[in-house]
Amino acid sequence: MSKDPGALPSDSGHGIDFCLKSIMIVAFISILSLASIFAYDLVTQSNVFNIKTIEISGTHRVLKDDIIKLAKLSNKDNIFSINLYSIERLIASHPWIQSASVKRNLAATLFVSVIEQEPLAIVKIENLADILINTQGQPFKEYNPHKDSIDNLPIITGLDLTNNNDQYMFNGPLFNSIFNFLKTEESGNVM
């Protein structure tokens, strides 16, 4: 038997099979990627998944409408296109809100859970506005007697704010003593 000079070597069939399989795999991955992008766009832009209900819990001082405005939420927003972390940060930017948690479900309901600041005392600082401190001893809001309806909070004088890592706070042995006294249950109403 003589070899046909025009015949391909027997290994060329395996090379063609490998190339065809590689092309099929790349084509399959490309089609799957495009289908995933299409499905993502369909879900995040569909009116079917627009927010139907916003449930807010944990509010006492802050109005629920104020939280919705602060978070820039509306019924036209798709539940899957919104960034939950950004909404949490927007809500937590309100001075009376210590922290916020936002969750969503498939029924197009957005759950917002808020922890509000709990004021402990009013600190009067010479030549500055009065400041509210929370139960952790941190200043959180300028006190406005007309807007902030707070009864029977002790008023502290003689303290100064210190700047620590670009954050203003009260510090020192005097503040620590006053803070520890106010945290005890025996402090009652101190004026």
Side-chain angles (χ1 to χ4, degrees):
M1 253 194 204
S2 68
K3 282 190 164 181
D4 182 15
L8 296 173
S10 64
D11 288 343
S12 68
H14 294 295
I16 292 173
D17 285 346
F18 177 75
C19 286
L20 286 175
K21 285 180 183 178
S22 298
I23 291 171
M24 293 299 285
I25 290 173
V26 169
F28 178 73
I29 291 172
S30 298
I31 290 170
L32 190 62
S33 296
L34 289 172
S36 298
I37 291 169
F38 177 74
Y40 174 80
D41 285 345
L42 182 69
V43 168
T44 58
Q45 295 175 11
S46 173
N47 291 338
V48 172
F49 296 109
N50 282 0
I51 297 173
K52 291 182 178 75
T53 309
I54 301 173
E55 294 184 16
I56 300 173
S57 63
T59 58
H60 302 290
R61 295 184 183 278
V62 183
L63 299 174
K64 293 180 181 186
D65 289 339
D66 291 344
I67 290 175
I68 291 170
K69 287 178 189 172
L70 191 62
K72 300 175 184 168
L73 294 171
S74 74
N75 289 347
K76 295 177 183 176
D77 294 327
N78 184 294
I79 197 89
F80 295 109
S81 68
I82 59 175
N83 184 325
L84 299 182
Y85 178 71
S86 296
I87 292 173
E88 289 173 352
R89 289 186 56 210
L90 287 171
I91 294 171
S93 70
H94 191 284
W96 276 107
I97 297 178
Q98 182 176 341
S99 65
S101 173
V102 181
K103 297 184 185 332
R104 61 182 153 216
N105 70 8
L106 289 175
T109 301
L110 201 64
F111 299 97
V112 179
S113 177
V114 170
I115 298 174
E116 291 185 344
Q117 297 279 5
E118 187 177 331
L120 181 67
I122 301 168
V123 179
K124 288 189 172 278
I125 302 174
E126 194 173 314
N127 299 327
L128 291 176
D130 298 344
I131 297 174
L132 289 170
I133 60 170
N134 61 17
T135 54
Q136 287 82 32
Q138 299 170 340
F140 69 92
K141 183 183 182 312
E142 184 178 306
Y143 175 63
N144 183 340
H146 303 294
K147 291 183 181 178
D148 301 323
S149 58
I150 302 173
D151 296 327
N152 299 328
L153 276 185
I155 298 172
I156 303 170
T157 58
L159 296 177
D160 288 324
L161 280 171
T162 59
N163 188 350
N164 187 8
N165 295 331
D166 292 332
Q167 185 177 11
Y168 286 97
M169 57 187 354
F170 296 103
N171 208 353
L174 177 61
F175 175 73
N176 292 338
S177 298
I178 293 170
F179 179 69
N180 289 333
F181 173 74
L182 290 174
K183 292 290 287 180
T184 62
E185 292 183 21
E186 290 84 31
S187 65
N189 288 336
V190 180
M191 295 289 178

